[in-house]
Amino acid sequence: MITQTDAWRALETDAEVLKLTHTRALFHEDPMRFERFSLEAAGIFLDFSKNKFTQKTLKNLIMLAASADLEDARERMFIGEKINVTEDRAVLHTALRDFSNRALEVGGEDISISVRAEREKMRVFSQSLISGETKGFTGAPLDTVVNIGIGGSDLGPQMVVEALRPYWLKGRRCFFVTNVDGQHLADTLTQLDPERTLFIIASKTFTTQETMTNAASAREWFLNRGGSEADIAKHFVALSTNAPAVEAFGIDRENMFVFWDWVGGRYSLWSAIGLSIALQVGFNNFEKLLRGAYDMDEHFRTAPLGENMPALLALIGVWNRNFMDCGVHAILPYDQHLNRFPAYLQQADMESSGKSRTIEGAMAPCATGPVVFGEPGTNGQHAFYQLMHQGTDVMSADFIAPALSQTPLGDHHEKLLANFLAQTEALMCGKSEQDVREELTDEGRTPQEIDRLASHKVFPGDRPTNSILMEKLTPESLGALIALYEHKIFCQGVIWGINSFDQWGVELGKVLAKAVLLELAAIGEAKPAICAHDASTNGLINWINQIRRQKGG
Ligand code: F6P
């Protein structure tokens, strides 16, 4: 058990000592702290010096990684061992962006051949669609794409399409419909011309209620607006691992882009699930995204743990989560185009690390994944940063920014970066009562006023942050950034001893929803009182059914 290792115990001792130390003091003690605790890889620069730890802590963290056999686990992932044991699957999203020409055998088959073939199919399809060679049922170009998917079949592509806005091809539009709330689809459909729209039905399983419901309604809309059954082939494609379900839905195998069970939903944007990306920014840029991720993969795969960016980010995360009591981790991109990045990482991290059982099925001996949330800077500064600076709970945070803007405008970017830097400085350094009192005295405040105000204006500081920088947000740097987090999540899972690649916790709600659906009244329908659930659920169903019956009558 990881908590019984010497490394864990040593870290507990470190934590006891460090809890009495301010991070500011660690900077005073070590003038080389920034150089020591920052590194660059695959176009990404990471400064983790503003976390509260010492060189000794880092040594112990690396020893912890060794106790968890992290390097061995890393190798087992890359070579395709079935490390997702509860689903009996390999975890090979890295194979989707492996440009090394290494063969990779899974179940006796070199999967790199099928990966390349499917990518080539995506290239040919996207180029033909973008050039206007592939046309809709009236001969109009298909310049609008609607990706219908949810979770991993939405968050990744949507985040990337938004992040690469400056790379959008002229005249092309891309929408994402996720929610089973019909308003999402209906609001989108009002903006569409059926003659020019390609619907991408993105679902690994092709059974997800939200996606199947939206896909069926989209098809009906298309058929009611001039399209015929025969035209469906021109306007609907599927991205899935489930060919029989795709065919049963009425989409031809020819119009299906496949991926494989060894690609987890939340790790699938590199596969056919990235088709919407390729159609919006061009296949070349999609491939550059993959290449950026590949660079990070190579770094992760080969660098020793002490110089390994994903591993170090993970270890600092473990330190903050398990030894510094940070139960919440904020993702704060100072880049408006990364506005979907926190939502994307929420699934990547929380669906992967939100587990309380170890791989062996025992209770996890320590806290696992933190709550992940975030907003782009500077917006968050005017919302939740108050709690970050002065709240009773300490949270950790990643600040992410490009040094250069994709879309320079006056001095906006300098102001954005100034805020980024100021916030990380303030969170770490804080402001002492003595400084506050001096400031208030300089302002000419009376001693009574100073006494009344001083404590409210104190900033404790000592809030841990990572700063993640890149030259510019490009397809390559974005690819590397995403891969950095994927591997960070993997490393943390190995240390906590959990399976980062299943998601059983999403199942119960899905099953119960099916039962409840049968109990909900149609508008105007009188349903007998429901009493099959707990009193709260019964009461809520009955309240809703009553309203729905009355409104129909
Ligand atoms: O409900 C969670 C989940 O299973 C995710 O893991 C997945 O990304 C999402 O649903 C969508 O699944 P699918 O791609 O099979 O529709």
Side-chain angles (χ1 to χ4, degrees):
M1 207 190 291
I2 196 71
T3 50
Q4 302 299 318
T5 58
D6 290 347
W8 190 277
R9 287 201 196 94
L11 286 163
E12 280 174 338
T13 310
D14 286 350
E16 270 169 42
V17 176
L18 280 164
K19 277 179 182 163
L20 306 172
T21 313
H22 199 285
T23 314
R24 232 175 14 222
L26 301 176
F27 274 90
H28 288 147
E29 276 163 25
D30 181 3
M32 296 298 287
R33 188 171 171 85
F34 170 73
E35 288 74 10
R36 223 184 285 289
F37 300 134
S38 58
L39 74 161
E40 195 168 345
I44 305 287
F45 183 82
L46 166 68
D47 167 26
F48 57 105
S49 63
K50 287 194 181 88
N51 293 279
K52 185 157 56 175
F53 71 101
T54 63
Q55 262 186 290
K56 187 166 148 232
T57 320
L58 190 55
K59 268 201 200 117
N60 288 331
L61 283 167
I62 291 169
M63 199 162 92
L64 187 73
S67 313
D69 290 329
L70 178 57
E71 284 176 313
D72 181 51
R74 175 182 62 182
E75 192 53 20
R76 290 194 289 118
M77 177 177 75
F78 274 104
I79 63 172
E81 267 189 37
K82 290 188 171 178
I83 59 169
N84 177 359
V85 290
T86 60
E87 294 181 320
D88 195 28
R89 288 174 183 166
V91 174
L92 275 171
H93 44 278
T94 50
L96 301 166
R97 56 211 194 201
D98 185 344
F99 291 94
S100 70
N101 288 327
R102 278 187 290 258
L104 189 51
E105 290 231 338
V106 173
E109 186 205 340
D110 178 2
I111 58 163
S112 66
I113 296 171
S114 12
V115 166
R116 273 199 298 273
E118 206 58 24
R119 205 188 303 145
E120 179 59 13
K121 186 173 168 187
M122 284 171 73
R123 188 186 65 76
V124 171
F125 179 80
S126 52
Q127 287 180 349
S128 163
L129 203 104
I130 289 164
S131 69
E133 198 184 320
T134 295
K135 295 181 181 12
F137 70 100
T138 59
L142 294 165
D143 55 15
T144 305
V145 164
V146 181
N147 187 87
I148 296 181
I150 197 164
S153 299
D154 161 78
L155 288 160
Q158 189 178 166
M159 177 273 288
V160 172
V161 164
E162 189 57 30
L164 298 182
R165 193 175 264 269
Y167 296 83
W168 285 9
L169 297 171
K170 211 164 164 253
R172 297 206 60 81
R173 302 189 304 158
C174 188
F175 297 87
F176 289 86
V177 174
T178 57
N179 202 330
V180 75
D181 181 344
Q183 298 177 108
H184 198 180
L185 180 65
D187 291 349
T188 308
L189 292 175
T190 58
Q191 304 171 66
L192 305 179
D193 175 352
E195 296 176 26
R196 308 173 80 93
T197 302
L198 176 79
F199 290 97
I200 297 179
I201 315 303
S203 176
K204 181 177 170 181
T205 54
F206 231 71
T207 58
T208 303
Q209 185 193 51
E210 293 91 333
T211 303
M212 292 303 104
T213 307
N214 279 323
S217 299
R219 185 171 60 179
E220 202 180 313
W221 174 86
F222 176 75
L223 293 174
N224 289 334
R225 285 186 177 56
S228 69
E229 285 286 348
D231 298 326
I232 294 269
K234 292 195 171 102
H235 289 262
F236 284 76
V237 296
L239 321 174
S240 188
T241 57
N242 187 350
V246 169
E247 280 174 33
F249 180 83
I251 295 181
D252 203 87
R253 270 304 292 264
E254 276 299 295
N255 284 359
M256 175 181 176
F257 295 82
V258 299
F259 57 112
W260 305 270
D261 72 354
W262 41 261
V263 181
R266 53 193 175 274
Y267 299 88
S268 64
L269 71 91
W270 322 99
S271 70
I273 290 291
L275 187 65
S276 54
I277 304 171
L279 290 171
Q280 190 60 19
V281 299
F283 187 80
N284 285 348
N285 282 324
F286 176 65
E287 207 166 69
K288 285 180 185 171
L289 179 85
L290 267 51
R291 284 189 184 275
Y294 172 63
D295 287 348
M296 186 56 81
D297 292 345
E298 285 300 277
H299 163 75
F300 175 56
R301 185 179 189 147
T302 55
L305 294 184
E307 298 158 28
N308 192 310
M309 192 180 287
L312 288 168
L313 198 59
L315 290 171
I316 289 300
V318 167
W319 171 249
N320 286 330
R321 178 74 181 108
N322 297 114
F323 301 93
M324 293 283 119
D325 308 322
C326 296
V328 178
H329 185 66
I331 300 293
L332 308 169
Y334 277 63
D335 187 306
Q336 187 55 31
H337 290 160
L338 283 176
N339 74 80
R340 294 296 298 165
F341 196 63
Y344 159 76
L345 264 191
Q346 229 163 21
Q347 186 205 17
D349 201 315
M350 292 169 78
E351 207 167 81
S352 300
S353 301
K355 317 277 161 74
S356 50
R357 295 279 168 171
T358 65
I359 290 193
E360 293 79 24
M363 282 308 291
C366 58
T368 60
V371 173
V372 174
F373 84 110
E375 271 291 313
T378 58
N379 301 358
Q381 290 176 202
H382 302 272
F384 53 84
Y385 279 36
Q386 163 65 41
L387 187 148
M388 290 175 68
H389 283 287
Q390 290 187 318
T392 49
D393 291 314
V394 173
M395 68 173 87
S396 53
D398 290 351
F399 283 70
I400 305 166
L404 305 171
S405 171
Q406 285 169 325
T407 324
L409 179 65
D411 63 356
H412 285 239
H413 202 65
E414 289 81 342
K415 286 178 177 159
L416 182 73
L417 290 175
N419 275 282
F420 170 114
L421 296 165
Q423 288 296 331
T424 59
E425 186 178 19
L427 284 162
M428 191 274 281
C429 294
K431 192 172 181 184
S432 68
E433 183 162 343
Q434 192 187 335
D435 287 347
V436 171
R437 284 181 176 276
E438 278 169 17
E439 225 176 71
L440 290 170
T441 310
D442 291 347
E443 281 173 20
R445 302 285 192 144
T446 63
Q448 291 82 347
E449 277 180 321
I450 294 173
D451 283 345
R452 188 166 51 79
L453 281 177
S455 65
H456 297 282
K457 290 179 155 260
V458 168
F459 286 70
D462 231 6
R463 274 40 183 168
T465 62
N466 294 303
S467 297
I468 298 174
L469 297 171
M470 66 205 82
E471 186 181 310
K472 209 173 188 179
L473 188 59
T474 60
E476 291 91 339
S477 62
L478 179 63
L481 180 72
I482 301 168
L484 166 64
Y485 277 100
E486 286 181 345
H487 296 318
K488 172 205 162 178
I489 292 164
F490 164 74
C491 292
Q492 293 192 329
V494 172
I495 290 165
W496 288 324
I498 56 175
N499 180 2
S500 307
F501 300 105
D502 60 12
Q503 54 285 316
W504 299 107
V506 302
E507 294 303 325
L508 179 59
K510 289 185 193 174
V511 173
L512 293 183
K514 280 192 189 144
V516 172
L517 182 60
L518 301 174
E519 295 164 351
L520 287 176
I523 301 289
E525 185 192 8
K527 276 259 181 198
I530 300 296
C531 54
H533 307 268
D534 60 90
S536 163
T537 310
N538 289 336
L540 293 167
I541 295 173
N542 290 328
W543 191 90
I544 292 169
N545 280 351
Q546 204 183 341
I547 300 282
R548 292 173 68 84
R549 179 175 57 78
Q550 284 163 2
K551 289 298 153 186

